[in-house]
Amino acid sequence: MGKSGYLTLRAGAEAQGEFEDRRSRFIAQLVHVADEAAADAFIAEVRARHHDARHNVPAWILSDGRERCSDDGEPSRTSGMPTLEVLRGAGLADVCCVVTRYFGGTLLGPGGLVRAYTAATQQAVAAAEAEGAIVEMTLVTPVVVQLPYALYDRVSRLIDEAGGKVKDSLFLEDVQLTCAFRAGTEAPFLAAVSELACGEELARAGDPRFAEF
């Protein structure tokens, strides 16, 4: 997405929001998806779950910038696009939202539909926030450090000072630390470890990727 981070839902979490207007019920269901296939699978699952509903309107955004929405039989641009706009506005990616509509017998008109789909999706996003299900994904560089026990305390301090986090520790003949740094901030740490080890390469940086930091 050309950014250093984005928000998403925690894997496995599902948030729901509901809005009612003139007896039409709009139920927004929001989940984390890793790719288009996962979005398609969730859309199919919701359609099965609410097979008696008049419409199941899907919208999804991926962190690679791809996004899609459908009006699923509602008048053009009254449902899928407003749902997508709420996800965009919340800074979310790798998410899919399906808004189910049970028709209440009264036509709401284009303005009423836009309001209803927007409100239901906003409720789902608010519910996800309230449940602590929204997580920040940051572009991080993984760094693996292999070091003798004698340097463990010094290197732990250097990780702290450089703003890194230890994600995993293995204590064998040597200590192996798997760390994460916000992408672009790992260089001073690598230089400090190299100096501490008199030029020996104890720390290796991997390729940056999006992860919870």
Side-chain angles (χ1 to χ4, degrees), residues 18-27 102 108 116 119-120:
E18 198 163 324
F19 182 77
E20 198 165 315
D21 185 3
R22 283 161 277 183
R23 309 226 326 268
S24 270
R25 276 177 70 214
F26 298 82
I27 306 158
Y102 285 96
L108 304 183

Side-chain angles (χ1 to χ4, degrees), residues 186-198:
E186 71 279 359
F189 170 74
L190 294 171
V193 171
S194 177
E195 192 179 319
L196 188 63
C198 305

Side-chain angles (χ1 to χ4, degrees), residues 116-196:
Y117 279 97
T118 298
T121 308
Q122 284 171 337
Q123 293 280 359
V125 172
E129 284 170 351
E131 291 157 17
I134 292 184
V135 291
E136 186 180 357
M137 303 299 273
T138 305
L139 196 58
V140 300
T141 301
V143 175
V144 176
V145 193
Q146 198 92 29
L147 66 152
Y149 280 83
L151 294 180
Y152 175 65
D153 288 342
R154 303 270 301 278
V155 170
S156 294
R157 265 204 308 283
L158 288 174
I159 294 167
D160 268 355
E161 286 162 11
K165 288 185 179 171
V166 176
K167 297 291 188 180
D168 196 22
S169 315
L170 273 179
F171 297 94
L172 302 166
E173 293 114 63
D174 284 348
V175 183
Q176 183 178 301
L177 300 176
T178 305
C179 317
F181 291 84
R182 289 183 189 275
T185 67
E186 71 279 359
F189 170 74
L190 294 171
V193 171
S194 177
E195 192 179 319
L196 188 63

